[in-house]
């Protein structure tokens, strides 16, 4: 099968098709997960990578249908995969050594005051690269760090980069997972869709104990700064779209005010909580009064209804399913530079609140007041006239839709499996 449907895309539910050739790697497929076959009955599919022999293509990439499952609980599947992974890594001396060496290299850099830069470019989302420092604001490196997911499961992160607490708990600023070549695709996809920090994944499959040394650890971490999607690479950065605005290196001509805006659709009680949380967060991080603007757009009057509809148009056609009469508009100063710790802590905490503590649909405007003149586009397109050169340029900036509620994703996938199982049983 050469084509599949992306269940959750920036255009909405079941709105985007993709060819197997457009999927660049197994990690890219995880970011797109779940995928289904085109047609009236949406059968889940998996991406199969191309294979080569003596430099020649032996098998083209394609999608393969998955068997309809009789079990429908994605949470249970996640926990089974997590248990299987823990078994595999506990029995692997290579995994243990890799984890210790990577943690030691991060700790060495932290003590020496060195950065741990990472970078990649997501051509689907922006013309501009994403760049960060895994150690910005960090004060400790820990292994086997337990994390709770928003869907009620717990997993252990091989290596966590922690920073001082904003309230009570240390903030997780980044993570590293050592992979043994086992796919665990559902687990990895769900983790990637619920994390509020950069996760570096390092594959050590086919490596021996002799291969895994201090020099390897340094190379494995710095390899994240190289953008080469062609073929299999051992190091990969998972980053939720919600954090793209924090790390995107946007040129200043796009936004003279250097302020961007988040539009949040959730139930009324959640929106009220978010107003309190965001105001408290801004105060805790010592933002000047009014620099973080937290407002409810309530569609009671004709004018405010139009504002609400324009906000809904940004996040996509299904916005009214989340709240058809109000939303939260959060206007925040853009990070001043890559070392802006205040902005870093604000955006990281905001992402954690939205991904782990709420069921929210989140949209984005790359500058305050930008008009959504092309609602059919799921990425903001900026236009620039350069008078002295007499040319007009177009720039893909960032996505308009940044986050789906994880519990909605879980329900849709469970319904897909249940529906396909019933078709198989009674068809």
């Amino acid at each position: 099968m050469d084509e599949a449907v992306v269940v959750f895309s920036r255009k909405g539910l079941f709105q985007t098709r993709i060819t197997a050739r457009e999927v660049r790697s197994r990690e890219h497929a995880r970011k797109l997960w779940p995928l289904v076959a085109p047609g009236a009955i949406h059968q889940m599919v998996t991406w199969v990578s191309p294979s080569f022999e003596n430099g020649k293509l032996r098998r083209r990439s394609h999608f393969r249908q998955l068997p309809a499952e009789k079990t429908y609980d994605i949470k249970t599947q996640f926990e089974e995969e997590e248990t299987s992974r823990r078994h595999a890594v506990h029995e692997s001396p290579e995994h243990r050594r890799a984890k210790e060496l990577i943690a030691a290299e991060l700790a060495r850099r932290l003590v020496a005051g060195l950065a741990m830069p990472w970078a990649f470019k997501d051509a689907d989302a922006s013309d501009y690269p994403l760049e960060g420092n895994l150690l910005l604001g960090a004060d400790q490196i820990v292994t086997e760090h337990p994390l709770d997911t928003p869907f009620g499961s717990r997993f252990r992160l091989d290596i966590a980069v922690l920073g001082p607490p904003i309230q009570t708990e240390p903030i997780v600023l980044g993570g590293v997972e050592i992979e043994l070549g086992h796919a665990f695709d559902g687990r990895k996809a769900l983790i990637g869709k619920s994390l509020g920090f950069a996760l570096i994944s390092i594959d050590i499959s086919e490596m021996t104990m002799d291969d895994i040394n201090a020099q390897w650890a340094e190379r494995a971490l710095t390899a994240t700064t190289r953008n080469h999607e062609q073929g299999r690479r051992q190091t990969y950065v998972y980053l939720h779209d919600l954090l793209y605005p924090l790390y995107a290196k946007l040129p200043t001509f796009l936004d003279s005010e250097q302020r961007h805006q988040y539009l949040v659709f959730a139930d009324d009680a959640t929106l009220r909580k978010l107003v309190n949380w965001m105001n408290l967060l801004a105060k805790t991080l010592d933002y000047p009064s009014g620099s973080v603007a937290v407002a409810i757009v309530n569609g009671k009057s004709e004018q405010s209804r139009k504002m609400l509809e324009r906000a809904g148009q940004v996040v996509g056609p299904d916005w009214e399913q989340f709240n058809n009469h109000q939303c939260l508009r959060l206007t925040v100063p853009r990070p001043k530079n890559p070392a802006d710790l205040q902005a870093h802590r604000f955006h990281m905490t905001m992402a954690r609140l939205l991904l782990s503590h709420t069921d929210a649909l989140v949209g984005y405007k790359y500058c305050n007041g930008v008009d959504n003149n092309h609602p059919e586009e799921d990425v903001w397109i900026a236009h620039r006239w350069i008078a002295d050169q007499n040319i007009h340029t177009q720039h893909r900036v960032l996505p308009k839709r940044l986050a789906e509620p994880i519990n909605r994703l879980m329900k849709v996938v469970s319904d897909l499996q249940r529906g396909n199982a019933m078709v198989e049983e009674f068809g």
Side-chain angles (χ1 to χ4, degrees):
M1 185 187 308
D2 186 54
E3 195 174 57
V5 176
V6 183
V7 177
F8 291 91
S9 75
R10 298 180 183 117
K11 293 183 185 294
L13 208 59
F14 301 111
Q15 294 301 307
T16 300
R17 293 196 176 199
I18 191 167
T19 64
R21 185 181 294 180
E22 291 174 293
V23 180
R24 298 184 292 271
S25 63
R26 192 177 74 203
E27 289 83 3
H28 184 208
R30 285 173 178 167
K31 187 171 175 67
L32 295 168
W33 182 93
L35 298 165
V36 295
I41 298 171
H42 288 119
Q43 177 81 33
M44 287 185 69
V45 300
T46 187
W47 180 74
V48 180
S49 61
S51 64
F52 297 86
E53 194 172 295
N54 298 324
K56 292 186 177 180
L57 180 68
R58 190 172 63 85
R59 181 191 65 203
R60 293 185 184 279
S61 61
H62 61 280
F63 297 107
R64 186 180 69 235
Q65 285 196 2
L66 293 171
E69 298 287 344
K70 301 297 182 184
T71 57
Y72 321 119
D73 191 340
I74 302 301
K75 180 175 181 289
T76 300
Q77 181 182 333
F78 177 94
E79 289 170 352
E80 287 174 355
E81 287 195 10
E82 174 67 8
T83 300
S84 297
R85 183 178 190 275
R86 298 316 305 169
H87 262 305
V89 301
H90 280 144
E91 293 172 0
S92 167
E94 291 85 3
H95 182 277
R96 185 162 53 252
R97 175 179 285 189
K99 179 178 64 179
E100 291 168 354
L101 289 170
I102 292 290
E105 172 61 16
L106 289 171
R108 181 189 72 81
R109 286 174 172 265
L110 186 60
V111 170
L114 300 172
M116 183 61 256
W118 56 263
F120 69 96
K121 190 172 181 180
D122 182 351
D124 298 332
S126 179
D127 289 339
Y128 304 103
L130 300 153
E131 298 177 9
N133 170 14
L134 201 69
L135 296 177
L136 179 62
D139 63 0
Q140 57 178 317
I141 309 296
V142 299
T143 58
E144 296 292 309
H145 186 67
L147 281 176
D148 292 318
T149 65
F151 47 89
S153 296
R154 173 170 276 211
F155 72 100
R156 286 189 177 275
L157 195 57
D158 283 336
I159 302 160
V161 178
L162 304 181
I166 288 178
Q167 285 189 308
T168 54
E169 301 252 331
I171 182 172
V172 181
L173 298 171
V176 181
E177 279 215 332
I178 311 297
E179 289 205 60
L180 292 165
H182 301 281
F184 298 117
D185 283 329
R187 171 192 177 277
K188 186 71 83 174
L190 283 170
I191 289 173
K193 291 178 186 299
S194 60
L195 290 181
F197 55 83
L199 175 66
I200 295 178
S201 176
I202 300 174
D203 188 354
I204 62 166
S205 57
E206 301 177 11
M207 292 185 70
T208 66
M209 291 289 277
D210 289 340
D211 296 328
I212 302 170
N213 52 42
Q215 292 73 34
W216 163 83
E218 185 176 355
R219 287 197 309 273
L221 284 166
T222 54
T224 61
T225 62
R226 302 182 197 128
N227 177 31
H228 48 97
E229 286 283 8
Q230 300 307 314
R232 219 31 208 106
R233 55 178 170 144
Q234 290 181 302
T235 306
Y236 194 88
V237 182
Y238 289 91
L239 187 71
H240 196 288
D241 286 9
L242 191 55
L243 286 170
Y244 277 26
L246 170 61
Y247 294 115
K249 299 304 163 192
L250 302 182
T252 53
F253 75 79
L254 289 173
D255 176 19
S256 58
E257 291 184 13
Q258 290 298 290
R259 289 169 67 77
H260 54 188
Q261 197 170 85
Y262 295 83
L263 304 163
V264 184
F265 286 82
D267 62 64
D268 292 356
T270 298
L271 293 181
R272 286 194 297 272
K273 286 180 186 174
L274 283 169
V275 168
N276 293 331
W277 288 345
M278 294 305 170
N279 281 322
L280 177 60
L281 179 60
K283 184 178 179 181
T284 304
L285 293 176
D286 295 324
Y287 275 91
S289 177
S291 64
V292 174
V294 185
I296 292 288
V297 178
N298 201 321
K300 288 183 176 179
S301 68
E302 184 179 349
Q303 183 181 0
S304 59
R305 180 67 195 175
K306 286 180 180 176
M307 290 172 64
L308 180 67
E309 288 174 351
R310 284 197 291 268
Q313 191 183 63
V314 169
V315 298
D318 52 354
W319 65 272
E320 289 182 286
Q321 296 176 23
F322 296 85
N323 195 321
N324 63 5
H325 57 274
Q326 64 178 358
C327 74
L328 174 69
R329 185 178 62 211
L330 180 67
T331 309
V332 190
R334 190 182 297 285
K336 300 182 188 73
N337 53 59
D340 185 345
L341 187 56
Q342 182 187 45
H344 191 249
R345 284 164 67 81
F346 184 95
H347 286 79
M348 297 280 282
T349 305
M350 177 188 70
R352 190 176 79 246
L353 290 171
L354 290 172
L355 293 174
S356 297
H357 297 281
T358 64
D359 255 349
L361 181 70
V362 185
Y364 178 71
K365 298 174 80 169
Y366 67 89
C367 69
N368 191 13
V370 65
D371 291 324
N372 188 23
N373 294 323
H374 298 281
E376 73 283 359
E377 297 282 356
D378 57 2
V379 171
W380 286 104
I381 309 292
H383 300 265
R384 187 189 189 197
W385 170 250
I386 305 175
D388 58 346
Q389 298 179 40
N390 199 32
I391 59 170
H392 173 268
T393 58
Q394 283 194 169
H395 309 265
R396 289 168 56 81
V397 186
L398 281 169
K400 297 175 182 178
R401 184 180 182 124
L402 296 180
E404 301 269 356
I406 193 76
N407 288 320
R408 182 195 193 204
L409 184 148
M410 304 277 284
K411 182 181 183 304
V412 168
V413 173
S414 292
D415 288 348
L416 279 172
Q417 289 184 314
R418 182 182 297 112
N420 286 318
M422 289 177 67
V423 167
E424 188 175 87
E425 188 170 346
F426 298 109

